[in-house]
Amino acid sequence: MRISVIGCGYLGAVHAACMAKLGHEVVGIDVDERKIAELSAARAPFFEPGLDELLKEVQETGRLTFTTDMSAAAGSNVHFICVGTPQKKGENGADMSYVDAATNGLLPHLSPGDLVVGKSTVPVGTAGRLSSLVRNQEPDAHLVWNPEFLREGHAVADTLQPDRFVYGVPDGSEHHAAVGVLDEVYAVPLADGVPRLVMDHPTAELVKAAANSFLATKISFINAMAEVCEAAGADVTRLADAIGMDDRIGRKFLNAGIGFGGGCLPKDIRAFMARAGELGADQALTFLREVDAINMRRRSRVVELTRELCGGMLLGKRITVLGAAFKPESDDVRDSPALSIAAQLQLQGAVVTVTDPKALANAARRFPELHYESDLDKSVAKADAVLLLTEWQQYRDLDPYALAGVVASSRILDGRNVLDAAKWRAAGWTYRGLGRP
Ligand code: UGA
């Protein structure tokens, strides 16, 4: 099929490459010339495992091109909207200006029978609104809401083999013409047994908001348990292991630590609350305010623990922060709890050095006042305390004996509860985890 993908960020660039991998002829469109230049040279404009290789592979087939020119969409029958919906400045709601601009830019290039497929995370009601715009422009075109569930760091696999496809079609019916078209787009994964669910527009939009809210709630639940464990002298990691063995609960997303960040969960729960308020259903989601509050409290807790670890004073203390990305295998620092903690420590007088294998350039753009060091050994030299805040494999694998010879004081705060506390203590370290004795 001939496909256009509008918006080539963390979602769209991966989606475009994966659609070409599935055998389609794809054009990726973005207003950012730098991004398009990188992608055209088969280089990912951000770090995502496997994406560089995939771009090279599919561009060699000639099935994938990139451009800043929206009129290139005219040759396609299926148009994916993959632009961002960041949090509005100073408000909880989502900024819809990119989705609106992408849709309005696409409208003049639609032909009869075309399918516009929304993938961006949007407030419920958006699909209905955009559907009218599409129909007014081209009565024979349709709009489907097909939310995306990919995780950064696993984006390629999540796109090629998702847990499920969700199609939100105007009448919610399996027999809607758009269903067959999307089935053709996803023919390969569908043949591999990936389930698909057809539903109406608002339900499809809500599936995404509900899924991310549930994940955020799960993380904040275990972080709330971490607070209680700290008060009671208990160990939240053992608690999570034990409750996670109940199939109804499950162990995934029960890792207590410095909390969730990134370009999705924090802004999605806020936008969901804002939208529910507009719909008169705000009471239903007041618990998400608590989910958000528990999450943000983790960051202040780490600052306090670091102060304790440093003998009650942060002033002049040399602190090394391991990890700047909001999670490992990503260079994304949007709402990164690690960076937010590093900045708070610096504000309180500590001398902070941040290291990360991939995210330093993005981090330096966001927090230019922090000191960055790409060399891990140099970053920890003479540190008064080391904070593991993003659980990259190389930090999990650190040798406490070797590291003890490099730092000024053997103190470590394990913000992700990934280190073997007994091993570090045996090597002479003062070890602090979160929600662990
Ligand atoms: C999230 C969802 O997991 C995806 O399904 C969704 O498609 C995506 O948002 C989106 O809306 O686009 P992502 O933001 O890539 O994906 O990252 P997650 O893997 O969900 O992690 C989010 C944050 O939670 C990270 O900061 C991570 O460190 C933290 N986390 C995760 C925990 O603190 N504890 C856990 O047990 C799991």
Side-chain angles (χ1 to χ4, degrees):
M1 302 191 83
R2 292 161 73 90
I3 289 177
S4 76
V5 176
I6 300 153
C8 294
Y10 287 99
L11 163 59
V14 175
H15 193 69
C18 289
M19 291 304 103
K21 168 84 179 167
L22 294 181
H24 305 299
E25 213 165 284
V26 183
V27 57
I29 305 172
D30 199 292
V31 291
D32 184 339
E33 287 180 11
R34 187 193 62 89
K35 238 180 239 169
I36 291 301
E38 290 283 300
L39 287 164
S40 300
R43 281 192 303 265
F46 49 85
F47 175 68
E48 179 61 47
L51 181 58
D52 265 326
E53 296 79 358
L54 180 63
L55 282 168
K56 279 192 190 75
E57 178 193 327
V58 289
Q59 283 195 8
E60 273 163 22
T61 66
R63 288 199 302 268
L64 179 62
T65 54
F66 291 95
T67 177
T68 54
D69 181 4
M70 186 65 105
S71 67
S76 304
N77 340 89
V78 179
H79 312 273
F80 284 97
I81 309 269
C82 293
V83 294
T85 50
Q87 189 173 341
K88 271 192 217 160
K89 289 217 180 343
E91 282 178 55
N92 270 350
D95 175 355
M96 295 300 292
S97 58
Y98 304 102
V99 170
D100 290 345
T103 311
N104 285 317
L106 173 66
L107 289 178
H109 307 294
L110 291 180
S111 308
D114 278 10
L115 195 61
V116 180
V117 187
K119 289 201 89 64
S120 309
T121 302
V122 294
V124 58
T126 303
R129 181 168 66 78
L130 299 183
S131 198
S132 311
L133 293 177
V134 167
R135 265 201 322 273
N136 288 344
Q137 173 78 29
E138 178 47 71
D140 272 339
H142 300 287
L143 180 130
V144 185
W145 215 262
N146 173 222
E148 180 55 56
F149 304 102
L150 68 78
R151 298 159 299 165
E152 286 175 32
H154 305 269
V156 174
D158 284 353
T159 305
L160 291 172
Q161 258 123 22
D163 293 336
R164 74 296 205 190
F165 290 110
V166 168
Y167 301 176
V169 298
D171 60 0
S173 152
E174 292 258 348
H175 307 295
H176 192 281
V179 172
V181 181
L182 262 194
D183 278 353
E184 218 177 314
V185 171
Y186 296 130
V188 176
L190 287 172
D192 284 345
V194 175
R196 70 132 160 80
L197 291 99
V198 179
M199 55 193 74
D200 55 39
H201 277 156
T203 309
E205 294 168 309
L206 283 175
V207 166
K208 177 60 190 257
N212 275 4
S213 297
F214 192 86
L215 293 172
T217 303
K218 215 173 165 189
I219 300 168
S220 276
F221 174 82
I222 202 65
N223 280 328
M225 292 305 110
E227 290 185 18
V228 179
C229 283
E230 268 166 37
D235 185 338
V236 73
T237 62
R238 300 304 290 152
L239 179 142
D241 291 342
I243 64 170
M245 281 178 186
D246 182 331
D247 274 353
R248 294 169 303 171
I249 297 174
R251 181 63 178 83
K252 288 180 186 165
F253 271 66
L254 279 186
N255 295 319
I258 64 173
F260 58 82
C264 302
L265 300 192
K267 64 107 176 147
D268 286 353
I269 60 170
R270 291 173 195 151
F272 197 22
M273 282 185 271
R275 184 64 185 136
E278 287 169 5
L279 294 169
D282 42 346
Q283 247 192 327
L285 298 187
T286 44
F287 75 95
L288 286 179
R289 211 172 295 151
E290 199 52 41
V291 166
D292 203 357
I294 293 167
N295 192 51
M296 298 314 277
R297 218 155 53 220
R298 300 315 289 163
R299 303 178 184 190
S300 345
R301 177 72 188 134
V302 171
V303 174
E304 285 322 307
L305 270 180
T306 310
R307 192 195 315 281
E308 276 175 31
L309 198 62
C310 290
M313 241 218 344
L314 285 170
L315 206 63
K317 290 284 162 32
R318 284 184 302 265
I319 312 269
T320 300
V321 168
L322 305 178
F326 84 103
K327 67 188 247 188
E329 301 301 325
S330 171
D331 65 357
D332 193 348
V333 298
R334 287 176 294 171
D335 204 358
S336 162
L339 271 187
S340 148
I341 290 164
Q344 285 181 49
L345 289 168
Q346 171 119 328
L347 274 177
Q348 298 198 23
V351 182
V352 181
T353 299
V354 181
T355 188
D356 189 286
K358 297 285 176 193
L360 289 190
N362 286 342
R365 267 193 290 276
R366 217 155 259 240
F367 287 96
E369 68 277 17
L370 290 170
H371 176 239
Y372 299 98
E373 172 56 63
S374 57
D375 186 285
L376 176 58
D377 293 336
K378 284 189 195 154
S379 76
V380 287
K382 299 201 175 59
D384 293 310
V386 176
L387 273 49
L388 193 167
L389 299 188
T390 310
E391 67 278 33
W392 288 93
Q393 193 60 44
Q394 51 266 60
Y395 305 152
R396 290 168 174 257
D397 293 342
L398 279 170
D399 173 3
Y401 291 95
L403 199 64
V406 183
V407 295
S409 307
S410 302
R411 302 169 179 142
I412 187 146
L413 191 152
D414 179 4
R416 298 291 186 169
N417 290 334
V418 289
L419 300 176
D420 179 343
K423 184 171 150 193
W424 282 74
R425 287 187 177 128
W429 286 76
T430 305
Y431 169 94
R432 288 301 302 261
L434 295 182
R436 306 176 85 179

